[in-house]
Amino acid sequence: MTPELNDCRFLRAARRQSVDTTPVWIMRQAGRYLPEYRSVRDKVSFLELCKRPDLAAEVTLTAQQALGVDAAILFADLLPILEPMGFQLEYTSGGGPKIHNPIRTSEDLKRVRAGDLDELGFVYDTVRLVRKQLPANIPLLGFAGAPFTLASYAIEGGGSRDFARTKRLMYGCPDLWTGLMQRLVDSVVGYLERQIEAGCQAVQLFDSWAGCLSPADYRQYALPYTKGIFDRLPAHVPAIHFLTGNPALLPLQREAGGSIIGLDWRIDLADAWSRVGLDVAVQGNLDPLVLQADLATLKTQTRAVLDAAGGRPGHIFNLGHGVLPETDPNQVKALVAMVHEMGAARS
Ligand code: CP3
């Protein structure tokens, strides 16, 4: 890594070193709220876009540049990793992702493989293309889904409100659950290792749906597998552990691993930081809907998040979940400028 990249704002904060101002990036920063994204997406389907390194690199780079954020995130999705594992994936227009052959029985598990991660070569090609063109002081983040969140798609066959099938299988078929989770761990580790080899400076693990679990169930059914991933990733690469919807899980989220804990907005950042421990970095945690409020409210709430972080090294500013499609891109740009301005006064 060049000294310039190694010393950039994002990586310094990730290591809890002092920074000139608070680094900021936005989950789902390359998405439908951006006109630049929509014009590329008008020409190809979502899955095609993920599989075309030239276009995926273009939307990754455009978002970083348009917003002035301190990190780029690889344009891809959580679910294509399921294809080499034997699942048939489709993104329906308007209806979100669909798995045509979800796993429901022990018989189904027989066709689920750990997966040949080289089949996701389009992702690593995107990483190489992006890294070549990114500014020298901007890191590229890779990402993957955490085992519980991926398992929920593999079992439900799509999104879910109550995760009923997932929990029925988890409680009722422990061997099937373990078998699926172990295959997911192996696949995710291989996938993230390849992203890092191709040129990512940090990675984020998204456990978007684990918040539906009680602390005891999270400990039993999710934590060992998430931990299995973080334990196997190279220790020098910052790893963000993002989980949403359930602040009661924070101590367990920390225990499961990651050098940066991703927070949602359901808890005050200062409270969350003390619960996970001040010896770890944190990321977050503005409510994405605040971007749809007036500028004065946006400013007040942004200041409140920065106040809660208290100028302590190790805060990366972000939303508490992905930016919503209805958001005005100018509001996102204004947020980035505010964080940089107000963050400089504190650090
Ligand atoms: O952050 C980024 O800019 C990088 C790209 C990214 C996408 N998805 C692009 C995308 C990332 C990091 C993801 C992660 C992802 N994908 C998650 C976890 C993130 C979270 O918010 O918790 C999940 C649950 C998925 C699965 C997924 N992909 C769903 C449920 C959907 C449909 C819902 C929706 O928002 O449309 C997608 C599609 C998707 N992934 C889009 C984008 C830009 C929209 C597709 C389109 O262009 O039509």
Side-chain angles (χ1 to χ4, degrees):
M1 200 187 309
T2 62
E4 201 177 354
L5 191 52
N6 191 43
D7 218 32
C8 73
R9 237 178 238 156
F10 176 95
L11 291 174
R12 286 187 63 84
R15 296 187 295 253
R16 293 186 297 118
Q17 296 169 326
S18 62
V19 280
D20 61 339
T21 187
T22 305
V24 50
W25 69 281
I26 307 292
M27 285 188 272
R28 296 267 185 123
Q29 63 194 20
R32 281 164 298 180
Y33 76 102
L34 270 189
E36 294 91 338
Y37 173 82
R38 289 197 302 272
S39 73
V40 174
R41 187 55 182 78
D42 280 348
K43 288 175 259 164
V44 290
S45 73
F46 175 67
L47 206 48
E48 266 173 83
L49 174 51
C50 290
K51 294 183 179 182
R52 280 268 309 263
D54 58 332
L55 297 180
E58 180 187 328
V59 298
T60 305
L61 290 159
T62 308
Q64 189 279 325
Q65 210 174 19
L67 304 178
V69 281
D70 297 293
I73 178 158
L74 162 72
F75 188 82
D77 196 45
L78 232 49
L79 302 178
I81 192 172
L82 296 177
E83 288 189 318
M85 296 183 70
F87 293 97
Q88 289 153 18
L89 171 66
E90 188 193 341
Y91 290 86
T92 58
S93 51
K98 188 162 172 49
I99 307 285
H100 290 289
N101 53 348
I103 175 169
R104 303 275 162 82
T105 64
S106 313
E107 203 51 38
D108 294 335
L109 184 65
K110 291 189 186 142
R111 59 170 166 76
V112 178
R113 307 179 290 271
D116 175 1
L117 282 311
D118 292 331
E119 280 180 36
L120 299 172
F122 53 88
V123 173
Y124 323 128
D125 288 343
T126 303
V127 170
R128 282 185 278 269
L129 273 178
V130 173
R131 190 58 269 170
K132 254 191 256 167
Q133 296 170 72
L134 264 182
N137 63 343
I138 300 294
L140 174 59
L141 314 184
F143 71 91
F148 180 84
T149 291
L150 291 175
S152 79
Y153 283 101
I155 295 164
E156 305 285 340
S160 174
R161 207 168 46 85
D162 51 15
F163 302 96
R165 288 179 192 278
T166 306
K167 290 185 181 181
R168 277 202 288 267
L169 191 149
M170 187 177 94
Y171 296 131
C173 316
D175 293 345
L176 184 48
W177 179 257
T178 307
L180 175 61
M181 293 296 267
Q182 280 166 347
R183 285 166 178 79
L184 287 167
V185 169
D186 289 341
S187 298
V188 169
V189 169
Y191 184 47
L192 290 175
E193 280 172 349
R194 283 167 176 77
Q195 292 180 30
I196 293 165
E197 270 162 33
C200 289
Q201 282 69 49
V203 293
Q204 174 157 326
L205 201 65
F206 284 89
D207 215 349
S208 308
W209 310 133
C212 74
L213 295 172
S214 70
D217 283 352
Y218 178 82
R219 176 178 288 291
Q220 179 172 353
Y221 298 107
L223 187 151
Y225 307 101
T226 297
K227 186 168 184 324
I229 293 173
F230 285 118
D231 284 350
R232 281 164 63 186
L233 291 178
H236 67 279
V237 177
I240 306 161
H241 183 186
F242 174 73
L243 191 157
T244 174
N246 190 351
L249 299 182
L250 281 167
L252 299 173
Q253 185 183 350
R254 171 78 203 273
E255 190 179 325
S259 50
I260 302 152
I261 301 296
L263 307 170
D264 76 16
W265 65 91
R266 294 171 181 88
I267 182 167
D268 177 76
L269 187 140
D271 188 10
W273 208 343
S274 67
R275 286 199 210 184
V276 294
L278 299 175
D279 56 339
V280 72
V282 293
Q283 173 177 283
N285 70 341
L286 191 74
D287 185 333
L289 258 312
V290 174
L291 285 167
Q292 295 180 34
D294 57 281
L295 270 178
T297 304
L298 177 60
K299 190 164 186 178
T300 309
Q301 296 239 14
T302 301
R303 180 177 290 123
V305 171
L306 290 167
D307 284 346
R312 182 184 293 122
H315 177 220
I316 295 164
F317 196 102
N318 205 316
L319 305 178
H321 209 162
V323 57
L324 295 161
E326 307 77 26
T327 308
D328 176 354
N330 289 324
Q331 292 281 99
V332 186
K333 292 175 197 173
L335 169 66
V336 171
M338 280 177 201
V339 172
H340 284 158
E341 193 195 316
M342 293 195 269
R346 290 155 216 265
S347 23

